[in-house]
Every structure is written in C-alpha cells, then in structure tokens.
Amino acid sequence: MAKRSETQQVDGGDMTPMIDMVFQLLIFFMILINFSDADQNQRVRLPKSELAKPPEMPIPNAVTLQIAPQLGRAGEFSVLIGADEIKNLMDLPPFLKREIDVVQRTKHKTAADMTVIIRAHQEAKTGFVQEVIQKCQQNKLEKFALRAEQLQ
C-alpha cells in the first residue's frame, strides 16, 4: 500500500477589504481631528468669565500668543509663540515679524489683516498683557482677541 502525502492548503482570507476599511477609518479620523487644541499649552490656565463664549468660526490669519508661567520661577511669565518661549519681551519683535512674513508670503495679507489671539494665564498681571499688546502694536498688528474659559 503506497502512502499518499497530503498537502494541506491554508486558505488565507482576502485582506483587501480589511485594508480598505482601515484606510477609510484613518481618513475619517484625520478629517474630524480638532487641531485648535493642539495649539494650546497646558501651562496656561485661562481666567474664568461669564461673558466668555467660544468663537463661532476660526479666525483667519491669526497668530496665537500664550502667556504662561516660567518653569521654576514663581511670579515670572513668558510669551509662547509656536514652539518658542520668549522670557524677555524685548526679544518678541523678531518672532512677530517672522509670523507676519509667513502670512504675507503665503496669504498675501498685511499685518493689519492679522488677528493676535492672546491666551493669558489667569495669574498673569494685566500690565504684562498690556506690554505684549504694545509690542504687537509696534509691529503694526491691530486686531486682538483675548481668550477666557466660559463659566458653566
């Protein structure tokens, strides 16, 4: 009696529908992700206000300045613009100029068309916020939006 060797064939499922579904989910979540939260620094705790309300639409041509406490220095605040931390306000104008240049090159808008969004920590002194606004005005930025947390 001769032995027959049986070869087993493994039927693998067609992975194409699964890969297609993964890509569809990936695209779906990329569309829904909220990038406005990505620009917010966790060191900034906004003041609470009854008058605060979330913006109805994103502000075009905006630059966000965050006033946050300096790490390890109680009572000292610095300005965060993008990934840069400016500890001395005298160093702020070159960073503002860089943001203005980007908007001028990419969107053909002037500094007067831009809006400065200021997210100041609740313990930041009003005088410091005013100095930041003055530095912005010296660079021909005219529109400002202050952020606060809405009381529930």
Side-chain angles (χ1 to χ4, degrees):
M1 185 162 18
K3 270 189 165 180
R4 291 174 51 194
S5 66
E6 291 183 26
T7 59
Q8 291 183 350
Q9 247 185 347
V10 178
D11 272 341
D14 186 12
M15 295 297 289
T16 306
M18 184 182 293
I19 293 171
D20 185 46
M21 179 60 77
V22 168
F23 281 121
Q24 287 181 13
L25 286 172
L26 182 65
I27 291 169
F28 174 76
F29 287 114
M30 286 175 57
I31 290 171
L32 290 183
I33 193 166
N34 184 359
F35 286 107
S36 64
D37 290 340
D39 292 337
Q40 299 176 3
N41 191 294
Q42 299 304 315
R43 290 181 2 208
V44 178
R45 288 193 330 249
L46 294 176
K48 297 183 183 344
S49 172
E50 293 177 359
L51 301 175
K53 63 178 184 173
E56 295 174 7
M57 301 181 350
I59 299 173
N61 308 319
V63 59
T64 302
L65 301 180
Q66 301 185 75
I67 299 174
Q70 289 184 16
L71 296 174
R73 299 186 74 185
E76 297 290 324
F77 289 87
S78 56
V79 178
L80 306 172
I81 182 168
D84 300 311
E85 182 172 356
I86 298 112
K87 295 183 180 183
N88 184 352
L89 284 184
M90 302 306 285
D91 299 333
L92 183 60
F95 292 95
L96 293 174
K97 182 162 179 23
R98 180 187 67 191
E99 295 293 324
I100 293 168
D101 289 344
V102 168
V103 170
Q104 285 177 341
R105 279 195 314 265
T106 58
K107 299 182 181 177
H108 307 292
K109 301 287 184 181
T110 65
D113 297 323
M114 295 176 64
T115 302
V116 179
I117 300 171
I118 296 179
R119 299 184 73 247
H121 190 277
Q122 63 188 5
E123 295 173 3
K125 302 218 180 320
T126 306
F128 187 79
V129 176
Q130 288 175 332
E131 288 180 45
V132 171
I133 291 172
Q134 286 175 348
K135 290 291 181 192
C136 293
Q137 289 172 333
Q138 290 170 359
N139 285 281
K140 299 183 175 55
L141 294 164
E142 301 170 356
K143 299 177 190 172
F144 297 92
L146 300 175
R147 292 288 184 246
E149 193 173 312
Q150 187 176 23
L151 282 176
Q152 301 296 345

